Amino acid sequence: GDSVTQMEGPVTLSEEAFLTINCTYTATGYPSLFWYVQYPGEGLQLLLKATKADDKGSNKGFEATYRKETTSFHLEKGSVQVSDSAVYFCALSNAGNMLTFGGGTRLMVKP
Amino acid sequence: GAGVSQSPSNKVTEKGKDVELRCDPISGHTALYWYRQSLGQGLEFLIYFQGNSAPDKSGLPSDRFSAERTGGSVSTLTIQRTQQEDSAVYLCASSLEPADRYNEQFFGPGTRLTVL
């Protein structure tokens, strides 16, 4: 079945540092890929998505590119802020429509 | 507009009791999903409703779990004879029609269930 693997956290960075959170997937067919974010005390919300190979999703300074050849969808941000501290989930949606999530990566940004 | 709402926000129950968790999707969203977020298992899919079609129950962990959706809107997830391993945050999500791999799912705040 489909699966998503993302780097374990926590990831601790200083403000303005560069962020990469790795995500790889296993799936048949042509899934869509997503990054969801869960801020402290809040619900899951979509950060960005890409629906086909080589698409780049972007939002709030975050980017991720759908790489079919490496089955990856790594999340990047050039300069993180304290307000980016949250748990980030990589996910895919395939023929069944439900989301398959990675284990989540906690990001802590220190001033 | 209003987002997905869930009630109660917290539920503490004793082992062996039945519980009901409620989800109100975004108005006009015909697809509704239940997920569970637990320390040991991460975020996992439970069940999916799409319009009048038969629900996809492939993620339900046991026959103690069931869900229904009345009138194509509100959904109730029922856990019978709760066990301690059922302790988790239960998340509901909804999306526009057609529910497919492209459409964003909007999540509610969740119900935190604690089984003593």
Side-chain angles (χ1 to χ4, degrees):
Chain A
D2 298 345
S3 66
V4 176
T5 303
Q6 59 182 107
M7 60 190 292
E8 292 188 18
V11 174
T12 304
L13 296 173
S14 297
E15 207 165 23
E16 299 184 1
F18 183 86
L19 169 70
T20 300
I21 300 178
N22 290 336
C23 171
T24 57
Y25 68 91
T26 301
T28 57
Y30 303 94
S32 291
L33 302 175
F34 304 83
W35 278 100
Y36 278 82
V37 59
Q38 191 170 35
Y39 296 103
E42 298 185 16
L44 272 173
Q45 53 186 277
L46 180 67
L47 180 61
L48 53 84
K49 72 177 184 181
T51 59
K52 61 183 188 296
D54 300 325
D55 265 4
K56 177 186 285 188
S58 61
N59 186 25
K60 299 182 181 180
F62 290 88
E63 293 183 340
T65 301
Y66 189 143
R67 300 289 188 197
K68 195 164 178 64
E69 64 274 16
T70 55
T71 61
S72 65
F73 193 54
H74 304 321
L75 182 68
E76 297 182 335
K77 186 174 185 182
S79 176
V80 294
Q81 305 300 311
V82 172
S83 58
D84 294 325
S85 297
V87 181
Y88 293 82
F89 293 90
C90 185
L92 69 81
S93 179
N94 211 340
N97 301 331
M98 73 285 288
L99 289 165
T100 299
F101 287 92
T105 302
R106 182 177 299 277
L107 170 66
M108 296 188 291
V109 181
K110 297 185 176 180
Chain B
V4 177
S5 61
Q6 294 185 244
S7 61
S9 56
N10 280 284
K11 177 72 176 177
V12 180
T13 190
E14 295 180 347
K15 178 182 173 181
K17 301 282 190 182
D18 297 352
V19 295
E20 285 189 352
L21 312 179
R22 177 187 168 105
C23 172
D24 282 90
I26 293 172
S27 178
H29 282 193
T30 60
L32 187 147
Y33 309 78
W34 283 97
Y35 296 88
R36 179 169 71 173
Q37 186 174 22
S38 58
L39 281 177
Q41 301 298 322
L43 263 163
E44 53 182 348
F45 162 76
L46 296 177
I47 187 169
Y48 156 53
F49 295 88
Q50 168 60 59
N52 294 322
S53 302
D56 179 345
K57 305 179 182 180
S58 60
L60 294 179
S62 79
D63 58 8
R64 294 186 296 105
F65 287 72
S66 63
E68 63 177 21
R69 189 175 185 193
T70 54
S73 181
V74 172
S75 177
T76 302
L77 178 69
T78 301
I79 309 174
Q80 295 179 310
R81 305 181 303 281
T82 52
Q83 304 295 312
Q84 289 182 333
E85 61 262 29
D86 299 334
S87 296
V89 177
Y90 290 81
L91 297 172
C92 177
S94 68
S95 70
L96 283 166
E97 182 177 339
D100 58 25
R101 69 192 72 179
Y102 308 111
N103 276 336
E104 176 183 356
Q105 294 182 25
F106 294 82
F107 283 81
T111 294
R112 181 175 297 276
L113 174 66
T114 303
V115 182
L116 301 177

mmCIF file of all heavy atoms in Angstrom, chain A residues 84-106:
data_model
loop_
_atom_site.group_PDB
_atom_site.id
_atom_site.type_symbol
_atom_site.label_atom_id
_atom_site.label_comp_id
_atom_site.label_asym_id
_atom_site.label_seq_id
_atom_site.Cartn_x
_atom_site.Cartn_y
_atom_site.Cartn_z
ATOM 1 N N ASP A 84 7.066 29.995 12.743
ATOM 2 C CA ASP A 84 6.982 28.753 11.951
ATOM 3 C C ASP A 84 7.059 27.506 12.820
ATOM 4 O O ASP A 84 6.921 26.385 12.313
ATOM 5 C CB ASP A 84 8.108 28.700 10.913
ATOM 6 C CG ASP A 84 7.987 29.779 9.853
ATOM 7 O OD1 ASP A 84 6.844 30.113 9.476
ATOM 8 O OD2 ASP A 84 9.042 30.290 9.398
ATOM 9 N N SER A 85 7.302 27.688 14.108
ATOM 10 C CA SER A 85 7.381 26.541 15.011
ATOM 11 C C SER A 85 6.046 25.804 15.006
ATOM 12 O O SER A 85 4.995 26.383 15.289
ATOM 13 C CB SER A 85 7.709 27.007 16.430
ATOM 14 O OG SER A 85 8.969 27.628 16.463
ATOM 15 N N ALA A 86 6.089 24.519 14.666
ATOM 16 C CA ALA A 86 4.863 23.738 14.470
ATOM 17 C C ALA A 86 5.279 22.308 14.166
ATOM 18 O O ALA A 86 6.464 21.983 14.088
ATOM 19 C CB ALA A 86 4.047 24.301 13.306
ATOM 20 N N VAL A 87 4.274 21.453 13.949
ATOM 21 C CA VAL A 87 4.518 20.104 13.457
ATOM 22 C C VAL A 87 4.090 20.054 11.995
ATOM 23 O O VAL A 87 2.988 20.484 11.651
ATOM 24 C CB VAL A 87 3.752 19.041 14.268
ATOM 25 C CG1 VAL A 87 4.068 17.643 13.734
ATOM 26 C CG2 VAL A 87 4.124 19.134 15.747
ATOM 27 N N TYR A 88 4.959 19.543 11.146
ATOM 28 C CA TYR A 88 4.723 19.489 9.705
ATOM 29 C C TYR A 88 4.515 18.042 9.268
ATOM 30 O O TYR A 88 5.297 17.156 9.630
ATOM 31 C CB TYR A 88 5.901 20.113 8.954
ATOM 32 C CG TYR A 88 6.007 21.600 9.206
ATOM 33 C CD1 TYR A 88 6.626 22.087 10.366
ATOM 34 C CD2 TYR A 88 5.466 22.522 8.309
ATOM 35 C CE1 TYR A 88 6.688 23.444 10.615
ATOM 36 C CE2 TYR A 88 5.534 23.881 8.557
ATOM 37 C CZ TYR A 88 6.137 24.333 9.716
ATOM 38 O OH TYR A 88 6.203 25.686 9.963
ATOM 39 N N PHE A 89 3.457 17.828 8.495
ATOM 40 C CA PHE A 89 3.111 16.494 8.015
ATOM 41 C C PHE A 89 3.141 16.458 6.494
ATOM 42 O O PHE A 89 2.463 17.252 5.837
ATOM 43 C CB PHE A 89 1.707 16.086 8.474
ATOM 44 C CG PHE A 89 1.552 15.883 9.940
ATOM 45 C CD1 PHE A 89 1.183 16.935 10.765
ATOM 46 C CD2 PHE A 89 1.791 14.642 10.514
ATOM 47 C CE1 PHE A 89 1.041 16.751 12.127
ATOM 48 C CE2 PHE A 89 1.639 14.450 11.880
ATOM 49 C CZ PHE A 89 1.267 15.503 12.688
ATOM 50 N N CYS A 90 3.889 15.529 5.964
ATOM 51 C CA CYS A 90 3.856 15.241 4.537
ATOM 52 C C CYS A 90 2.749 14.213 4.304
ATOM 53 O O CYS A 90 2.556 13.306 5.126
ATOM 54 C CB CYS A 90 5.213 14.705 4.094
ATOM 55 S SG CYS A 90 5.388 14.437 2.329
ATOM 56 N N ALA A 91 2.026 14.322 3.193
ATOM 57 C CA ALA A 91 0.916 13.407 2.948
ATOM 58 C C ALA A 91 0.715 13.214 1.461
ATOM 59 O O ALA A 91 1.120 14.049 0.650
ATOM 60 C CB ALA A 91 -0.375 13.942 3.583
ATOM 61 N N LEU A 92 0.083 12.108 1.099
ATOM 62 C CA LEU A 92 -0.295 11.881 -0.281
ATOM 63 C C LEU A 92 -1.754 11.459 -0.356
ATOM 64 O O LEU A 92 -2.324 10.925 0.590
ATOM 65 C CB LEU A 92 0.617 10.860 -0.952
ATOM 66 C CG LEU A 92 0.585 9.390 -0.538
ATOM 67 C CD1 LEU A 92 -0.580 8.630 -1.194
ATOM 68 C CD2 LEU A 92 1.888 8.704 -0.947
ATOM 69 N N SER A 93 -2.343 11.738 -1.515
ATOM 70 C CA SER A 93 -3.702 11.316 -1.806
ATOM 71 C C SER A 93 -3.674 10.591 -3.133
ATOM 72 O O SER A 93 -3.138 11.106 -4.111
ATOM 73 C CB SER A 93 -4.642 12.523 -1.870
ATOM 74 O OG SER A 93 -5.966 12.107 -2.171
ATOM 75 N N ASN A 94 -4.255 9.392 -3.161
ATOM 76 C CA ASN A 94 -4.198 8.572 -4.358
ATOM 77 C C ASN A 94 -5.608 8.166 -4.773
ATOM 78 O O ASN A 94 -6.573 8.851 -4.436
ATOM 79 C CB ASN A 94 -3.306 7.349 -4.096
ATOM 80 C CG ASN A 94 -2.581 6.882 -5.338
ATOM 81 O OD1 ASN A 94 -2.983 7.190 -6.457
ATOM 82 N ND2 ASN A 94 -1.503 6.146 -5.147
ATOM 83 N N ALA A 95 -5.731 7.057 -5.428
ATOM 84 C CA ALA A 95 -7.023 6.675 -5.992
ATOM 85 C C ALA A 95 -8.125 6.575 -4.942
ATOM 86 O O ALA A 95 -9.286 6.790 -5.231
ATOM 87 C CB ALA A 95 -6.873 5.353 -6.738
ATOM 88 N N GLY A 96 -7.745 6.247 -3.725
ATOM 89 C CA GLY A 96 -8.750 6.092 -2.677
ATOM 90 C C GLY A 96 -9.226 7.393 -2.077
ATOM 91 O O GLY A 96 -10.157 7.401 -1.276
ATOM 92 N N ASN A 97 -8.567 8.508 -2.429
ATOM 93 C CA ASN A 97 -8.931 9.852 -1.985
ATOM 94 C C ASN A 97 -8.551 10.193 -0.554
ATOM 95 O O ASN A 97 -8.404 11.345 -0.214
ATOM 96 C CB ASN A 97 -10.424 10.145 -2.189
ATOM 97 C CG ASN A 97 -10.818 10.019 -3.642
ATOM 98 O OD1 ASN A 97 -10.005 10.238 -4.535
ATOM 99 N ND2 ASN A 97 -12.053 9.653 -3.888
ATOM 100 N N MET A 98 -8.433 9.198 0.336
ATOM 101 C CA MET A 98 -8.023 9.552 1.686
ATOM 102 C C MET A 98 -6.555 9.947 1.692
ATOM 103 O O MET A 98 -5.806 9.628 0.773
ATOM 104 C CB MET A 98 -8.274 8.375 2.641
ATOM 105 C CG MET A 98 -7.332 7.208 2.483
ATOM 106 S SD MET A 98 -7.674 6.222 1.021
ATOM 107 C CE MET A 98 -9.189 5.414 1.521
ATOM 108 N N LEU A 99 -6.154 10.646 2.740
ATOM 109 C CA LEU A 99 -4.767 11.068 2.891
ATOM 110 C C LEU A 99 -3.985 10.010 3.656
ATOM 111 O O LEU A 99 -4.461 9.470 4.651
ATOM 112 C CB LEU A 99 -4.696 12.393 3.647
ATOM 113 C CG LEU A 99 -5.183 13.628 2.878
ATOM 114 C CD1 LEU A 99 -5.402 14.793 3.828
ATOM 115 C CD2 LEU A 99 -4.182 14.007 1.799
ATOM 116 N N THR A 100 -2.782 9.751 3.156
ATOM 117 C CA THR A 100 -1.817 8.917 3.868
ATOM 118 C C THR A 100 -0.724 9.847 4.368
ATOM 119 O O THR A 100 -0.095 10.539 3.562
ATOM 120 C CB THR A 100 -1.229 7.841 2.946
ATOM 121 O OG1 THR A 100 -2.280 7.005 2.472
ATOM 122 C CG2 THR A 100 -0.202 7.006 3.698
ATOM 123 N N PHE A 101 -0.507 9.868 5.677
ATOM 124 C CA PHE A 101 0.400 10.834 6.292
ATOM 125 C C PHE A 101 1.731 10.200 6.676
ATOM 126 O O PHE A 101 1.810 9.014 7.034
ATOM 127 C CB PHE A 101 -0.218 11.398 7.579
ATOM 128 C CG PHE A 101 -1.356 12.355 7.355
ATOM 129 C CD1 PHE A 101 -2.666 11.897 7.329
ATOM 130 C CD2 PHE A 101 -1.125 13.713 7.200
ATOM 131 C CE1 PHE A 101 -3.723 12.771 7.136
ATOM 132 C CE2 PHE A 101 -2.170 14.601 7.012
ATOM 133 C CZ PHE A 101 -3.467 14.118 6.972
ATOM 134 N N GLY A 102 2.773 11.026 6.675
ATOM 135 C CA GLY A 102 4.014 10.672 7.323
ATOM 136 C C GLY A 102 3.871 10.870 8.820
ATOM 137 O O GLY A 102 2.836 11.314 9.310
ATOM 138 N N GLY A 103 4.936 10.559 9.542
ATOM 139 C CA GLY A 103 4.871 10.584 10.992
ATOM 140 C C GLY A 103 4.894 11.969 11.620
ATOM 141 O O GLY A 103 4.675 12.098 12.823
ATOM 142 N N GLY A 104 5.167 12.996 10.827
ATOM 143 C CA GLY A 104 5.221 14.349 11.364
ATOM 144 C C GLY A 104 6.619 14.727 11.817
ATOM 145 O O GLY A 104 7.377 13.875 12.316
ATOM 146 N N THR A 105 6.966 15.985 11.631
ATOM 147 C CA THR A 105 8.258 16.516 12.067
ATOM 148 C C THR A 105 8.009 17.788 12.846
ATOM 149 O O THR A 105 7.409 18.732 12.322
ATOM 150 C CB THR A 105 9.166 16.831 10.855
ATOM 151 O OG1 THR A 105 9.347 15.654 10.077
ATOM 152 C CG2 THR A 105 10.518 17.362 11.330
ATOM 153 N N ARG A 106 8.461 17.789 14.093
ATOM 154 C CA ARG A 106 8.304 18.990 14.909
ATOM 155 C C ARG A 106 9.449 19.946 14.635
ATOM 156 O O ARG A 106 10.620 19.559 14.704
ATOM 157 C CB ARG A 106 8.267 18.634 16.395
ATOM 158 C CG ARG A 106 8.060 19.850 17.311
ATOM 159 C CD ARG A 106 7.956 19.436 18.769
ATOM 160 N NE ARG A 106 6.816 18.546 18.989
ATOM 161 C CZ ARG A 106 5.575 18.951 19.176
ATOM 162 N NH1 ARG A 106 5.298 20.252 19.165
ATOM 163 N NH2 ARG A 106 4.604 18.083 19.378
#
